[in-house]
Structure formats: structure tokens, C-alpha cells
Amino acid sequence: MHKRRIQQTRKLRQIQQLRQVRQIRRVRQARRIPVPLAGVLGFLLVLTGITASTAAAATASGAGAEKRVFNGMQIIFQPDMPNAFCTIGAVGTDAYERKIAISAGHCVNGKEYADRDIPENIQPVYDRNDTASGPIGHLRYFKDPEGSMVGHATKDYMIIELEPTVVLSSQGPHLKQTEVLEVPGGQPSPNALSPAPNSERLLGAALFNNNELVVSGQLGVNYGRVTNAAQGIYQSWAPHKGGDSGGPAIWHVPGSAYPSAANGFQAAGPWAGITKAIALGVPPYVYTSSANILADLRARNAAHPGVYGAGFQVTTNP
């Protein structure tokens, strides 16, 4: 009788232990941290998206130093993959007072997260040359390329919500962005709702137009005439190379100085778009217009208010 009671007691303890183990497993699963997008998505290695060039060594920020974020900053999505980088095209704030950076959508790939806001902090973004300071923000949106190796035709952009503690700067290595480009009377972006505001209208590219882009990237600062603006994708002689995707392009204000040795290779003007790809064509360098990006953000926000990046304005901070 006594032996039977001992056996029953052991069985009861075993059942209780099994229940505890199952409960612990359930708690752990509920608290599981999502897999970073860099792991889920991988990287889309394209001509002007992510490059395999030699990376600059990461440097740590000084203790208590302010983290400045600016156009032309190279960004990565995993600290241990410094050669897989893209570039920031513009920084500023949206209509909901969030700090925002814009880059190219084709820099990441994955249908599970594409074409929707990503409020979860599952994909951090780092300054390629200062990973030790931690993430500068998190990926909030990117457009699925829909089979294209150089991104969606008219909506190839990425929205990054920056950390509240970073300092926004309008001054990049070569370009100072003064505002968002407005083109009164220009052709509306194909992404625009009607009526289209001036910020969602395109630069002219006809023979009598002399619109020029000034761009910044690994080749330094360059400029060239806009020869085609079909569907809000600008073709220009201003060159770029792999890794510059998402990088800044401004409109050359007529009469303003071109970048040169005399002015330290600097230029200033309104934000006009971001680097997209090197494509088959003459000229081969293509850029997604700021009009296309702003128009799509406004349309998406009209359908679902609160969209990250909606109402984007370039920062005026020096």
C-alpha cells in the first residue's frame, strides 16, 4: 500500500513537471523576438542597390555625442554585413512629427513585409560607418519590386523612421537640401491623386527644358541634364555606381553655382529624387522622382491615415 502511494506521488510530480515545462515553452514562444527582416528578406543584390565594394571601417561615436543623420549617409541592415549597403536620399519629418529618412525600396526584398507599414521594430538600420552607435532607426515601409531587378517602376522607395534622439541635418557630404521640389504646371506624377499639388508634379524633359539633377555618391558630386521624365523616372547624365541606390538628387536652381573645386564641390537646391538604377538606355542613369514618392505616400495615407512618411518635408536644420 505504501509502495503504491509512492508510485502515485512520483507520477503526480512527473505530470506537474511536464505541465511546468509546457507552460515555460508557451511563455517563451509568446515572448519570442521576431526574426530581423535582414534574415527574413535577405538582400537583393542589384547594380545600383547593394554593392560588394570594400567597406570603410566602422567607428564608434564619442560618449554623449549627438548622432547626426543626413542625405548621402550610407546605411546597412546588419552590422556584420558592411558591404551590403544603400544610401539615404533625404531626411526630414512627416505630418505626424516623426523623424524620417528615405532610401530605395529595392535594397530589401520580401513579400511578407512589402507594401505595408511595419510598426514592429524588427529591422534596424545602421550608419555603415558608425555601427557602434547603434541603430539610427527602423524600416517602416518598402515597395515590393514585383519581379523587377531594379525596383518597382514608379514606387521604388523605402521609409525609415529615425530614432527620436538623432539630429536631422539638411547638409550632406556634398548636397544641401533646401526644401521639397515643387514644379508649378508640371505633369502630375502617375501616383498622384487629383488634383496634384506642385510637389507631386514632374520636371520637364523636352528639348527646350534645361532641368538638371545634381547627385552625390561614391563618385563624388556630379550633375547632368534630365533627358526623360516618363512615369516620374528621371534619366540623366549624372552618374552613380553600386551602393548609391536611394542616394540624394537635387534640382539645379538656374543661376546657382555648380559644384566645383572653387566651392568645395558643394551644391544646394530642393530635393528632387533618389538614385534608382543603371538601366539600358541613353543616358543609363535613372532616378525616382520625389514627386512619385510624395504622391504615393499621400495616396496611401488617404486610404489608411497614419502612414509613415506621409506629408514628408525636408529638414531645415543645418
Side-chain angles (χ1 to χ4, degrees):
M1 185 71 175
H2 179 67
K3 186 177 181 180
R4 183 179 299 174
R5 288 180 178 175
I6 292 176
Q7 291 175 341
Q8 290 176 343
T9 301
R10 286 178 178 173
K11 288 182 179 180
L12 181 60
R13 287 177 180 175
Q14 290 175 348
I15 293 173
Q16 290 175 338
Q17 290 174 347
L18 181 60
R19 288 176 177 172
Q20 289 175 348
V21 170
R22 289 175 176 172
Q23 178 63 22
I24 290 172
R25 286 177 178 172
R26 283 195 292 268
V27 171
R28 286 179 177 174
Q29 289 175 347
R31 294 178 179 176
R32 185 173 296 165
I33 299 174
V35 178
L37 274 180
V40 175
L41 304 181
F43 290 96
L44 188 60
L45 304 180
V46 297
L47 283 175
T48 58
I50 295 170
T51 184
S53 63
T54 303
T59 57
S61 295
E66 291 183 329
K67 183 60 185 176
R68 178 172 161 269
V69 180
F70 47 85
N71 73 78
M73 174 182 282
Q74 294 176 347
I75 53 174
I76 59 175
F77 304 92
Q78 286 184 273
D80 60 349
M81 295 182 65
N83 292 333
F85 68 93
C86 279
T87 305
I88 289 178
V91 297
T93 54
D94 67 10
Y96 303 96
E97 300 183 352
R98 295 174 294 216
K99 294 181 179 180
I100 297 294
I102 297 177
S103 188
H106 67 253
C107 293
V108 290
N109 184 29
K111 292 185 179 298
E112 180 181 356
Y113 293 96
D115 300 330
R116 71 169 178 88
D117 273 3
I118 309 169
E120 309 92 340
N121 290 342
I122 55 178
Q123 179 55 74
V125 179
Y126 301 85
D127 176 355
R128 183 191 182 215
N129 295 310
D130 184 16
T131 57
S133 65
I136 60 171
H138 290 83
L139 178 65
R140 294 302 186 212
Y141 178 84
F142 69 99
K143 178 65 178 175
D144 186 83
E146 297 183 1
S148 171
M149 288 299 292
V150 292
H152 187 276
T154 67
K155 304 174 185 179
D156 181 20
Y157 70 94
M158 171 195 302
I159 297 296
I160 301 163
E161 182 184 17
L162 299 170
E163 294 294 329
T165 54
V166 305
V167 177
L168 304 180
S169 175
S170 59
Q171 180 65 63
H174 296 286
L175 305 182
K176 182 177 181 62
Q177 296 177 340
T178 56
E179 57 187 335
V180 167
L181 176 65
E182 295 190 353
V183 186
Q187 182 74 21
S189 160
N191 301 333
L193 300 175
S194 184
N198 291 336
S199 61
E200 297 177 16
R201 295 179 180 274
L202 306 174
L203 290 170
L207 291 176
F208 55 83
N209 291 124
N210 291 310
N211 291 308
E212 294 174 295
L213 296 182
V214 186
V215 306
S216 173
Q218 296 169 89
L219 299 176
V221 60
N222 292 279
Y223 56 90
R225 181 176 173 273
V226 177
T227 63
N228 193 342
Q231 296 297 298
I233 303 301
Y234 296 145
Q235 282 182 263
S236 172
W237 287 107
H240 53 252
K241 63 181 291 186
D244 289 338
S245 272
I250 63 172
W251 179 58
H252 176 251
V253 178
S256 67
Y258 287 98
S260 66
N263 59 23
F265 297 101
Q266 298 292 307
W271 174 54
I274 61 174
T275 299
K276 180 174 176 61
I278 300 174
L280 296 176
V282 180
Y285 307 108
V286 295
Y287 298 83
T288 298
S289 66
S290 56
N292 277 9
I293 297 170
L294 296 175
D296 190 56
L297 286 169
R298 184 168 70 97
R300 288 175 50 227
N301 195 62
H304 303 286
V307 161
Y308 289 96
F312 178 80
Q313 290 292 329
V314 169
T315 181
T316 57
N317 294 336

